[in-house]
Amino acid sequence: MKEIIIVDDQPAVCKEVAAYLKNDYKVHAFKSGDKAISYLEKNHVDLILLDYYMPEMTGFEVLLKIRQNQALSETPVVFLTAEINERMEYEMIKRGATDYLHKPIDSIKLHQCIKKHLSSAGGY
């Protein structure tokens, strides 16, 4: 079973997204970038869902650490964000994000996005 992690400082978002995915994927949720990075240093995951705005470590900072780690450099990272503009979209892609989804999360779009990126990453 493919493994996905959710990194979001809002427990309600983690719970909601995990509920959408739990029947099809192994899911772990983390409320901070530090905790997610610690997990990723010891575990393989197939896809990362990453909040853009977090208080202690931003999504961009987490993404930078992920992309600097050779073992994680090809792991798909999908940003979750409540707001998006052209500049943010450009910065996400420039810094190595695979895709992004708008909050509140639509379960159908979430599943489509995950399937697309797991498929293109050689999985599914």
Side-chain angles (χ1 to χ4, degrees):
M1 183 175 277
K2 298 289 183 185
E3 183 172 350
I4 295 174
I5 66 165
I6 306 160
V7 187
D8 197 304
D9 62 312
Q10 297 177 14
V13 172
C14 288
K15 188 175 182 178
E16 176 186 27
V17 174
Y20 291 152
L21 302 177
K22 68 180 181 180
N23 292 331
D24 299 312
Y25 306 98
K26 184 177 178 183
V27 179
H28 294 284
F30 300 92
K31 64 180 183 177
S32 75
D34 286 331
K35 290 182 181 179
I37 295 297
S38 292
Y39 181 83
L40 290 167
E41 288 172 349
K42 299 175 186 128
N43 299 278
H44 168 78
V45 301
D46 298 289
L47 188 133
I48 300 164
L49 298 171
L50 179 59
D51 185 18
Y52 184 85
Y53 291 111
M54 293 186 291
E56 293 149 16
M57 182 186 289
T58 69
F60 276 155
E61 292 169 326
V62 176
L63 179 62
L64 180 62
K65 288 184 181 254
I66 289 168
R67 292 299 179 234
Q68 288 175 339
N69 182 323
Q70 186 69 24
L72 301 171
S73 64
E74 298 298 318
T75 304
V77 177
V78 177
F79 269 107
L80 307 177
T81 184
E83 58 181 78
I84 187 79
N85 59 47
E86 286 183 25
R87 173 117 175 103
M88 287 172 61
E89 181 180 335
Y90 171 78
E91 288 298 323
M92 285 179 191
I93 302 305
K94 177 182 161 188
R95 296 180 189 205
T98 308
D99 208 340
Y100 62 90
L101 291 169
H102 295 270
K103 290 180 186 177
I105 302 298
D106 176 291
S107 65
I108 293 170
K109 288 181 181 177
L110 175 66
H111 279 282
Q112 289 172 339
C113 179
I114 290 170
K115 285 181 183 179
K116 176 175 83 173
H117 295 301
L118 287 180
S119 172
S120 65
Y124 217 90

